[in-house]
């Protein structure tokens, strides 16, 4: 593969050096692809073509064959299920999904006991997908405008419009013998449709319009016996990295640079979450009277500006993030353009309720 990439690089250098001699870019591309086809027995042709197209894209050249155009048109056809993300639906095979979106940037355990696979291009076109044991899509989430629907729901629709299309949302959800009532002041609706549980998250700062969606298959949801997950170290780390990715996807959506993960700040954040979980309080100021800034200084973290977000009791990293985005001060921290670094720490108390601490700073 490295030889093929080197060959592509030589082709590109030749092209750049001889631009004036090339009058028909499509002819040029055709000639190059013909040369690549001769390597078919030695390399994966589709992978080679994809690498070549990435080289062209970096030069600002976007050329599509008739086959590419046909594939793109197929990808934007309305979904057969009520709602899909990036035209990906519950039940699709992982291999088919990754032909369209590539390999995941991160794989992390979620509250359903399966992994979220995070796909994005430097946090653009961000989505997370879970697969069941047979390799089929069982869960999907996005907080970017990638929602497609056979009934008309899309990012930016109001809560009223969404309910008119999807019907009356659930007010409770059963887990085993327990019926959990959903919070009255929530900024999301939960619907059960066509064998799936669909959560529509609204943005109260943008007139309660649709800002994110999560779709979970009924089979996966029903395997989760409690509203809160079984806790282990892998899940703690999963929640931490998921919240990090969710913040960066949010920032990129609003035209901001993604933040850099800081493992030392993560330790500070996790210690505060553990302290709250063990001692049963929820506050930016700990029982010793130390502020978020005191705790940074105590762990030798130097900063120019800093901030902290806390969340408690949400079902998952996704619900925590969506709740923070509907809180003015927390939202401002997430979208603070001057922050450069972040770390997230998660801990659970004795009844499996999670505590989330996000630390932000610039130096």
């Amino acid at each position: 593969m490295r030889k093929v990439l080197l060959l592509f690089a030589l082709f590109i250098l030749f092209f750049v050096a001889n631009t004036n001699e090339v009058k028909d870019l499509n002819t040029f591309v055709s000639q190059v692809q013909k040369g690549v086809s001769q390597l078919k027995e030695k390399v994966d042709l589709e992978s080679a073509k994809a690498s070549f197209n990435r080289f062209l894209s970096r030069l600002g050249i976007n050329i599509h064959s008739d086959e590419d155009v046909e594939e793109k048109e197929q990808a934007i056809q309305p979904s057969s299920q009520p709602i899909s993300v990036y035209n990906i639906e519950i039940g699709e095979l992982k291999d088919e999904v990754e032909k369209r979106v590539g390999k995941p940037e991160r794989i992390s355990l979620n509250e359903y006991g399966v992994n979220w696979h995070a796909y994005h291009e430097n946090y653009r076109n961000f989505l997370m997908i879970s697969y069941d044991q047979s390799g089929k899509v069982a869960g999907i989430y996005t907080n970017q405008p990638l929602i497609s629907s056979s009934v008309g729901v899309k990012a930016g629709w109001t809560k009223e419009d969404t309910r008119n299309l999807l019907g009356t949302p659930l007010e409770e959800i059963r887990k085993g013998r327990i019926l959990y009532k959903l919070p009255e002041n929530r900024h999301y609706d939960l619907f059960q449709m066509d064998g799936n549980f669909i959560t529509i998250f609204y943005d109260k700062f943008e007139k309660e319009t649709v800002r994110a969606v999560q779709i979970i298959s009924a089979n996966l949801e029903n395997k989760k016996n409690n509203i809160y997950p079984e806790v282990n170290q892998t899940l703690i780390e999963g929640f931490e990295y998921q919240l990090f990715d969710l913040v960066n996807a949010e920032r990129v959506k609003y035209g901001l640079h993604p933040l850099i993960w800081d493992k030392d700040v993560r330790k500070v954040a996790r210690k505060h979450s553990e302290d709250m979980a063990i001692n049963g309080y929820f506050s930016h100021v700990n029982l010793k009277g130390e502020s978020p800034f005191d705790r940074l200084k105590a762990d030798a973290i130097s900063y120019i500006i800093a901030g902290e977000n806390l969340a408690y009791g949400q079902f998952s990293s996704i619900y925590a993030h969506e709740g923070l985005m509907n809180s003015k001060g927390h939202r401002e921290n997430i979208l603070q353009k001057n922050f450069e670094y972040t770390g997230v720490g998660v801990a659970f108390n004795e009844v499996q309720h999670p505590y989330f601490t996000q630390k932000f700073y610039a130096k």
Side-chain angles (χ1 to χ4, degrees), residues 175-276:
K175 292 296 176 185
R177 296 181 178 180
I178 301 176
L179 198 61
Y180 290 92
K181 185 173 178 59
L182 299 177
E184 292 184 2
N185 62 344
R186 65 189 183 274
H187 295 283
Y188 63 86
D189 279 334
L190 177 63
F191 301 91
Q192 188 171 8
M193 302 181 66
D194 291 357
N196 301 323
F197 286 87
I198 301 171
T199 306
I200 304 293
F201 297 97
Y202 303 107
D203 194 327
K204 80 172 189 178
F205 296 104
E206 296 184 10
K207 300 180 180 179
E208 292 283 3
T209 51
V210 175
R211 53 160 279 103
V213 63
Q214 176 182 268
I215 310 169
I216 302 294
S217 71
N219 185 48
L220 185 60
E221 185 65 59
N222 292 334
K223 285 181 179 178
K224 186 167 174 271
N225 294 323
N226 298 301
I227 199 71
Y228 291 104
E230 294 293 328
V231 181
N232 57 55
Q233 189 60 36
T234 305
L235 179 64
I236 288 172
E237 293 176 358
F239 273 13
E240 290 172 345
Y241 283 119
Q242 288 155 23
L243 206 52
F244 168 67
D245 286 339
L246 291 166
V247 164
N248 276 342
E250 204 71 63
R251 289 175 64 87
V252 167
K253 181 173 73 174
Y254 282 91
L256 302 171
H257 62 271
L259 301 176
I260 300 168
W261 179 259
D262 187 313
K263 65 182 188 325
D264 294 324
V265 167
R266 174 209 211 168
K267 293 176 183 177
V268 179
R270 189 184 283 182
K271 281 193 295 185
H272 188 56
S273 288
E274 290 172 347
D275 187 41
M276 290 189 293

Side-chain angles (χ1 to χ4, degrees), residues 36-289:
V36 171
S37 68
Q38 296 173 1
L39 301 174
K40 185 174 182 179
E41 296 181 358
K42 297 182 180 180
V43 300
D44 180 347
L45 180 57
E46 291 304 315
S47 178
K49 286 171 66 179
S51 297
F52 172 60
N53 288 334
R54 284 195 292 271
F55 273 113
L56 288 179
S57 179
R58 289 170 187 167
L59 292 174
I61 302 167
N62 293 294
I63 300 174
H64 303 282
S65 66
D66 292 340
E67 180 182 348
D68 293 332
V69 172
E70 181 180 355
E71 183 176 347
K72 183 176 181 180
E73 289 174 349
Q74 290 174 353
I76 61 174
Q77 291 298 313
S79 60
S80 59
Q81 295 180 6
I83 298 177
S84 64
V85 174
Y86 216 53
N87 210 33
I88 295 167
E89 300 179 346
I90 298 296
E92 285 196 51
L93 291 172
K94 179 181 179 183
D95 289 345
E96 294 300 317
V97 170
E98 294 195 343
K99 283 181 182 178
R100 285 142 58 188
V101 300
K103 297 298 181 182
E105 298 295 328
R106 191 190 310 281
I107 300 174
S108 57
L109 187 66
N110 65 25
E111 66 277 14
Y112 291 98
V114 295
N115 291 320
W116 279 126
H117 294 66
Y119 302 93
H120 57 88
E121 303 148 18
N122 198 27
Y123 292 104
R124 289 176 174 81
N125 297 325
F126 178 86
L127 67 158
M128 298 197 300
I129 299 177
S130 287
Y131 302 97
D132 62 19
Q133 292 181 344
S134 62
K136 293 182 178 180
V137 174
I140 316 172
Y141 167 86
T142 188
N143 60 357
Q144 296 192 354
L146 303 175
I147 302 169
S148 55
S149 171
S150 61
V151 294
V153 175
K154 58 184 178 180
W157 274 61
T158 66
K159 180 188 291 187
E160 182 181 0
D161 291 334
T162 302
R163 289 179 174 180
N164 286 339
L165 288 169
L166 299 185
T168 303
L170 300 177
E171 294 295 332
E172 53 196 18
I173 185 169
R174 179 174 294 280
K175 292 296 176 185
R177 296 181 178 180
I178 301 176
L179 198 61
Y180 290 92
K181 185 173 178 59
L182 299 177
E184 292 184 2
N185 62 344
R186 65 189 183 274
H187 295 283
Y188 63 86
D189 279 334
L190 177 63
F191 301 91
Q192 188 171 8
M193 302 181 66
D194 291 357
N196 301 323
F197 286 87
I198 301 171
T199 306
I200 304 293
F201 297 97
Y202 303 107
D203 194 327
K204 80 172 189 178
F205 296 104
E206 296 184 10
K207 300 180 180 179
E208 292 283 3
T209 51
V210 175
R211 53 160 279 103
V213 63
Q214 176 182 268
I215 310 169
I216 302 294
S217 71
N219 185 48
L220 185 60
E221 185 65 59
N222 292 334
K223 285 181 179 178
K224 186 167 174 271
N225 294 323
N226 298 301
I227 199 71
Y228 291 104
E230 294 293 328
V231 181
N232 57 55
Q233 189 60 36
T234 305
L235 179 64
I236 288 172
E237 293 176 358
F239 273 13
E240 290 172 345
Y241 283 119
Q242 288 155 23
L243 206 52
F244 168 67
D245 286 339
L246 291 166
V247 164
N248 276 342
E250 204 71 63
R251 289 175 64 87
V252 167
K253 181 173 73 174
Y254 282 91
L256 302 171
H257 62 271
L259 301 176
I260 300 168
W261 179 259
D262 187 313
K263 65 182 188 325
D264 294 324
V265 167
R266 174 209 211 168
K267 293 176 183 177
V268 179
R270 189 184 283 182
K271 281 193 295 185
H272 188 56
S273 288
E274 290 172 347
D275 187 41
M276 290 189 293
I278 292 169
N279 293 295
Y281 72 96
F282 182 65
S283 173
H284 291 286
V285 178
N286 66 21
L287 299 182
K288 297 177 181 179

